[in-house]
Amino acid sequence: METRAATYRHCEIKNGKIILNGKLLFEKADVPFAKFIKSAYKHFELAYPKFHKMDRLCKLAFVTANLLLNNQLEGYASEDIGIVMSNSNSTLHTDSKHSKSIIDKDNYFPSPAVFVYTLPNILVGEISIKYKIKGESVFFVSNEFNKDMMIEYSEDMIACGDAKICMTGWVDYTEADYHSIIYLIK
Amino acid sequence: MEELIETLKVQIIKQLNLEDVEPDEIDADEMLFDADGELGLDSIDALELIVLLDKEYGIKIKNQEEGKKIFHSLKTMAEFILQHQD
């Protein structure tokens, strides 16, 4: 397949490690995800109070995107930045949390702040709010990360003029595991 | 009243996940939903405060205009709770 755009930067988080373009940026192994991601947030001085309100999936996406982008969007109009994301478990962790809050009819207090995280494209929204992105976006749920398809989709968006730069990748979280990898394509 | 305000500070920090905020940093007279305020609360937080009043104090708020007055500050919240608790 002909490559029309260039993948020139990527950030990955898994197994307690944050890797940017193949280079290890941060490591805190053998700690639970919540502690790991908070440590990363503080280490990189991300200073965004709403981070603490996000669910774990969004925290994973937010930290990955922040380290990936780091001034990379300068010069691009809000409408020219696209986001194409995917994962396997959607928002299962938060869905479960919400479900527990409504299962007991005598103690029925669903949390609005939890409920808003029961759709996976909320992570696209959180990144968009932080970076004032108003371009095209889409979220796929699939068993495996299909890197080729995601990059091709992003390249098509750029080729069609729907975006000039695009973030694409995979952000997945379960109680047992987590993995994010986001590419920047232009 | 003062005791209730201190309790509310702790409950709000927990309910709204304001991890970077200490109870002492919240002024009882400060506007809770000031766009330029320290707390940075949004519309979802307003819903969470309604849930908090229901869950912790058994008080239900159904009128939006009433909510604006009640959630003006911690002090107005505390006054409302004291007036409406059984």
Side-chain angles (χ1 to χ4, degrees), chain A residues 38 50 52-53 111-113, chain B residues 17 19-20 42 45 47-48:
Chain A
K38 191 173 178 181
K50 286 186 184 294
H52 300 297
K53 299 181 184 182
S111 163
Chain B
N17 289 322
E19 289 198 20
D20 288 339
D42 57 24
D45 296 318
L47 294 173
E48 284 292 336

Side-chain angles (χ1 to χ4, degrees), chain A residues 29-92:
Chain A
D30 302 324
V31 295
F33 173 80
K35 194 169 182 179
F36 162 74
I37 206 72
K38 191 173 178 181
S39 299
Y41 168 84
K42 288 189 172 178
H43 176 80
F44 293 108
E45 299 177 343
L46 299 181
Y48 191 67
K50 286 186 184 294
F51 172 82
H52 300 297
K53 299 181 184 182
M54 296 177 194
D55 75 345
R56 294 179 180 183
L57 179 70
C58 284
K59 284 180 177 175
L60 179 59
F62 182 83
V63 172
T64 313
N66 262 275
L67 298 174
L68 173 76
L69 294 177
N70 193 20
N71 299 325
Q72 299 296 313
L73 298 180
E74 282 181 10
Y76 289 94
S78 298
E79 293 78 8
D80 290 335
I81 305 163
I83 304 180
V84 182
M85 288 293 174
S86 62
N87 77 5
S88 173
N89 289 285
S90 186
T91 52
L92 189 59

Side-chain angles (χ1 to χ4, degrees), chain A:
Chain A
M1 188 193 78
E2 182 188 355
T3 301
R4 289 163 288 181
T7 307
Y8 75 101
R9 197 174 161 92
H10 66 277
C11 185
E12 182 170 29
I13 300 181
K14 67 176 180 179
N15 300 330
K17 293 178 183 173
I18 300 179
I19 299 159
L20 181 67
N21 296 331
K23 182 185 172 188
L24 182 65
L25 286 189
F26 179 80
E27 183 173 13
K28 196 173 184 70
D30 302 324
V31 295
F33 173 80
K35 194 169 182 179
F36 162 74
I37 206 72
K38 191 173 178 181
S39 299
Y41 168 84
K42 288 189 172 178
H43 176 80
F44 293 108
E45 299 177 343
L46 299 181
Y48 191 67
K50 286 186 184 294
F51 172 82
H52 300 297
K53 299 181 184 182
M54 296 177 194
D55 75 345
R56 294 179 180 183
L57 179 70
C58 284
K59 284 180 177 175
L60 179 59
F62 182 83
V63 172
T64 313
N66 262 275
L67 298 174
L68 173 76
L69 294 177
N70 193 20
N71 299 325
Q72 299 296 313
L73 298 180
E74 282 181 10
Y76 289 94
S78 298
E79 293 78 8
D80 290 335
I81 305 163
I83 304 180
V84 182
M85 288 293 174
S86 62
N87 77 5
S88 173
N89 289 285
S90 186
T91 52
L92 189 59
H93 179 259
T94 300
D95 294 348
S96 173
K97 192 175 176 182
H98 174 64
S99 175
K100 285 173 187 166
S101 75
I102 60 173
I103 206 161
D104 182 356
K105 297 302 175 192
D106 295 325
N107 189 28
Y108 187 87
F109 293 106
S111 163
V114 171
F115 182 72
V116 294
Y117 291 105
T118 57
L119 277 176
N121 56 358
I122 185 76
L123 71 84
V124 174
E126 292 288 10
I127 295 169
S128 298
I129 290 167
K130 171 69 165 63
Y131 289 95
K132 298 179 172 59
I133 295 169
K134 297 176 183 173
E136 295 282 331
S137 69
V138 63
F139 197 101
F140 295 102
V141 177
S142 58
N143 287 334
E144 306 284 340
F145 176 40
N146 189 338
K147 179 185 168 185
D148 291 343
M149 190 278 278
M150 296 295 282
I151 288 180
E152 187 178 346
Y153 192 100
S154 304
E155 289 175 343
D156 279 348
M157 274 175 64
I158 293 170
C160 293
D162 291 333
K164 289 181 179 168
I165 189 167
C166 191
M167 270 182 279
T168 188
W170 174 266
V171 183
D172 197 47
Y173 179 87
T174 65
E175 199 71 61
D177 201 10
Y178 58 90
H179 181 210
S180 68
I181 182 160
I182 305 180
Y183 299 86
L184 196 57
I185 296 168
K186 65 177 182 179

Side-chain angles (χ1 to χ4, degrees), chain B residues 10-42:
Chain B
V10 174
Q11 288 172 334
I12 287 173
I13 287 171
K14 186 184 175 194
Q15 187 86 11
L16 306 187
N17 289 322
L18 303 174
E19 289 198 20
D20 288 339
V21 179
E22 295 294 329
D24 292 347
E25 294 172 356
I26 307 176
D27 185 337
D29 292 310
E30 184 185 349
M31 274 178 71
L32 286 171
F33 290 90
D34 182 1
D36 300 320
E38 294 284 321
L39 297 178
L41 304 190
D42 57 24

